[in-house]
Amino acid sequence: MDRREFIKVCSVMAAAGLLYGCRKIPFVGKASSDESLSRAIPALKDFEDEVEKAMARGGKNLDLVKVPMPSILNASDADLQNRFGMAIDLDACNGCGKCIMACIVENNIPLVTEEEREKDRFMHWIKMRGDAPFMCAHCGDAPCEKVCPTGAANHTPDGLSAMMYKRCAGSRFCGANCPEKARKFNYNDAEELGLLRKFNAEVPVRGKGVMEKCSMCLQRLQNDRLRFKAEHPFNEWRGRNVKTACAEACPRNAIIFGNWLDPESPLVKAAKHRELFAPRSIAKFDPSVVYMRGRR
Amino acid sequence: MKYFAVTVLGAIFAFLLADFMLAQPSSPQSTSLQASLSDAGGNATAIAFKHALHGDSIGLDCAHCHTGAKTAAHAYMPSKSDCIDCHRLPLTENPGIETLDSALSVAPSEPWVKKSMLPDHVQFHHGVHTVAGVSCDECHGNYKSDSYGGEKFDMRTCLACHRGETDASRNFKRAATYCAACHR
């Protein structure tokens, strides 16, 4: 092979290599738009059907024991003015399940695959258990938060067991340590599988490998807090304008959201003269979400 | 044979050039009115917007144009119609005002391109910070010199104030540092 021949071969090979490297360039724009089109977005009906299926399967009845009314958190940074919580009125609730649907729409909760549905693994943050909704009780002394290796599960001073999704590494220790299994793990990339519909722009979508659970509509509380602080800088915010999505959706007003430390709160007014209960397994952890029944 | 090699090398060079051009990141967004006016209108005699002429000197508050800066979650960036609100009348004897009028008439309706860099798991409420006594130049230090963009806001910047580390120099109160205060 002479010198010219050698250069020729090298040039042809280099050109071929470049062509190979550039093969995708003309399709870049097209390919990405096709991809976004193929990603299906489920209809509202699909979510309703899934709620129906979850309700039909039901869950273990709650084993309730009496608890005192929640008071100031036992924490060094506890807020002395606010501790948010809910009371579920067992005398009023008829287990219609409208709260589950409202929660899905508020918090962008994805559908699950057929296979998981068969295993009774739904992503719903609320589960019907013996005709009463059950969600994370936001325990004051939460066992889930103690085992989180990254600090993604932590407590706010005003009594919410919060979840920082970007910090979650997916160890699932929290889920294992919750006696009532109120946490749900994202086994799938729901967006990729076309199981997600982004109803509410205020709530970020959780990715694959992240634990999630009831946030007590953190976004509603924080948005109201910020709005209030900007408009009334010298007043104390007590979260009086806020209602969680489930409480808002309940047709019988059986879920009451409010501030346990505010005597003006509808929650305290409703719970004052009632017997309060919590599931036996978490009663000792100072839950913020309790059940009420009968008169005291 | 010689021409063939030249052609091949030329083709390779063309590919390299094409690759280089295509790999370039898109040109940065124009951040000043001056840049976008001259881009859009093709008007060589573009006018520069000067904060110094529009702010304290004529008794205008920032929130006058950036509405919501004191109360709402986001401070609004004015559009051309907001400029025209005041500028439909000649406001000064300045000969430049005619240039301004002609430039405004050809300007796009939204002269400023503003893209929030805040990720969706972070919440920032502009009004709360203004009401808490943070003055504009604490964060937007370069607005008076009319150079825009390039402010670096990261969690460290937020936390320095929220933890009270800037207490002594700037007289800020401590603020919430629990995760859910800003994150979701």
Side-chain angles (χ1 to χ4, degrees), chain A residues 224-241:
Chain A
D224 189 66
R225 183 207 304 269
L226 290 166
R227 183 196 55 76
F228 185 92
K229 277 172 84 175
E231 288 171 9
H232 315 275
F234 303 108
N235 296 8
E236 200 71 53
W237 176 76
R238 307 301 295 270
R240 285 178 188 153
N241 291 328

Side-chain angles (χ1 to χ4, degrees), chain A residues 16-282:
Chain A
L18 274 169
L19 269 172
Y20 181 75
C22 297
R23 71 197 183 284
K24 275 187 182 163
I25 287 174
F27 311 111
V28 167
K30 208 172 156 238
S32 60
S33 67
D34 281 357
E35 206 179 323
S36 62
L37 278 178
S38 71
R39 209 175 273 165
I41 296 173
L44 192 64
K45 184 84 177 61
D46 299 332
F47 290 90
E48 284 167 351
D49 290 348
E50 200 189 69
V51 170
E52 224 162 84
K53 286 202 176 92
M55 299 242 314
R57 283 179 163 264
K60 267 205 319 273
N61 277 16
L62 289 165
D63 177 17
L64 296 172
V65 291
K66 267 192 213 172
V67 287
M69 197 193 280
S71 57
I72 297 172
L73 280 177
N74 183 21
S76 56
D77 65 342
D79 189 332
L80 305 179
Q81 298 292 314
N82 304 320
R83 179 181 176 181
F84 297 101
M86 292 195 278
I88 296 157
D89 191 341
L90 295 176
D91 296 335
C93 177
N94 62 353
C96 68
K98 289 215 167 61
C99 47
I100 305 179
M101 197 57 210
C103 178
I104 289 171
V105 172
E106 173 71 19
N107 294 301
N108 301 327
I109 298 171
L111 297 169
V112 293
T113 58
E114 198 67 47
E115 190 190 357
E116 286 172 313
R117 195 180 292 176
E118 293 312 311
K119 289 182 190 162
D120 201 13
R121 272 190 200 155
F122 298 97
M123 291 306 290
H124 307 156
W125 291 357
I126 304 179
K127 186 175 187 173
M128 271 302 160
R129 289 180 54 180
D131 274 0
F134 175 79
M135 70 285 278
C136 168
H138 295 264
C139 306
D141 185 25
C144 51
E145 291 165 13
K146 295 201 174 93
V147 292
C148 179
T150 59
N154 53 54
H155 225 74
T156 69
D158 49 16
L160 270 61
S161 175
M163 188 64 205
M164 299 301 113
Y165 302 119
K166 293 284 169 191
R167 276 209 156 202
C168 179
S171 74
R172 295 190 273 146
F173 293 170
C174 53
N177 216 33
C178 175
E180 292 293 336
K181 303 283 173 283
R183 287 172 171 266
K184 301 293 168 97
F185 187 67
N186 282 282
Y187 284 99
N188 307 314
D189 187 338
E191 200 166 10
E192 200 66 45
L193 294 178
L195 299 171
L196 180 92
R197 190 179 182 96
K198 200 161 181 197
F199 295 102
N200 185 357
E202 291 287 322
V203 180
V205 168
R206 283 78 57 182
K208 183 177 178 174
V210 170
M211 201 54 123
E212 63 181 65
K213 66 166 189 73
C214 164
S215 65
M216 202 129 62
C217 292
L218 174 75
Q219 66 284 355
R220 291 186 176 207
L221 271 168
Q222 298 296 52
N223 285 353
D224 189 66
R225 183 207 304 269
L226 290 166
R227 183 196 55 76
F228 185 92
K229 277 172 84 175
E231 288 171 9
H232 315 275
F234 303 108
N235 296 8
E236 200 71 53
W237 176 76
R238 307 301 295 270
R240 285 178 188 153
N241 291 328
V242 187
K243 256 186 168 188
T244 53
C246 53
E248 205 172 67
C250 182
R252 298 171 70 104
N253 205 17
I255 304 179
I256 296 158
F257 173 82
N259 183 349
W260 286 117
L261 307 182
D262 177 10
E264 295 297 305
S265 165
L267 176 65
V268 174
K269 284 181 180 166
K272 214 161 32 183
H273 303 297
R274 310 289 296 274
E275 295 271 25
L276 301 183
F277 298 87
R280 186 183 299 279
S281 57
I282 56 170

Side-chain angles (χ1 to χ4, degrees), chain A residues 8 11 14-15 18-19 25 154 156-157 162 164-166 198 202 204 218-219 222-223 225-227 229-230 233, chain B residues 1-2 4-5 8-9 12 15-16 19 22 70-71 120-121 123 125 127-128 131 178-181 183-184:
Chain A
K8 199 169 96 182
S11 312
L18 274 169
L19 269 172
I25 287 174
N154 53 54
T156 69
M164 299 301 113
Y165 302 119
K166 293 284 169 191
K198 200 161 181 197
E202 291 287 322
L218 174 75
Q219 66 284 355
Q222 298 296 52
N223 285 353
R225 183 207 304 269
L226 290 166
R227 183 196 55 76
K229 277 172 84 175
Chain B
M1 201 58 221
K2 194 175 166 186
F4 177 75
V8 168
L9 286 173
I12 292 169
F15 270 120
L16 282 172
D19 184 55
L22 286 166
K70 285 185 168 170
T71 48
D120 66 351
H121 62 282
Q123 298 294 316
H125 194 289
V128 160
V131 165
Y178 65 97
C179 305
H183 293 287
R184 283 176 193 166

Side-chain angles (χ1 to χ4, degrees), chain B residues 102-183:
Chain B
S102 56
L104 270 179
S105 64
V106 294
S109 62
E110 302 260 358
W112 283 274
V113 181
K114 185 189 160 232
K115 188 175 173 291
S116 173
M117 305 291 274
L118 203 65
D120 66 351
H121 62 282
V122 186
Q123 298 294 316
F124 177 83
H125 194 289
H126 197 277
V128 160
H129 292 84
T130 319
V131 165
V134 184
S135 65
C136 305
D137 46 1
E138 295 286 353
C139 304
H140 308 293
N142 51 2
Y143 79 92
K144 279 180 181 153
S145 62
D146 297 313
S147 66
Y148 309 105
E151 293 102 334
K152 287 272 182 296
F153 298 118
D154 54 15
M155 198 166 141
R156 203 175 307 170
T157 322
C158 301
L159 278 175
C161 279
H162 276 236
R163 281 183 179 146
E165 285 162 13
T166 50
D167 245 6
S169 54
R170 306 192 200 176
N171 202 25
F172 290 153
K173 283 191 298 186
R174 274 172 178 242
T177 51
Y178 65 97
C179 305
C182 313
H183 293 287

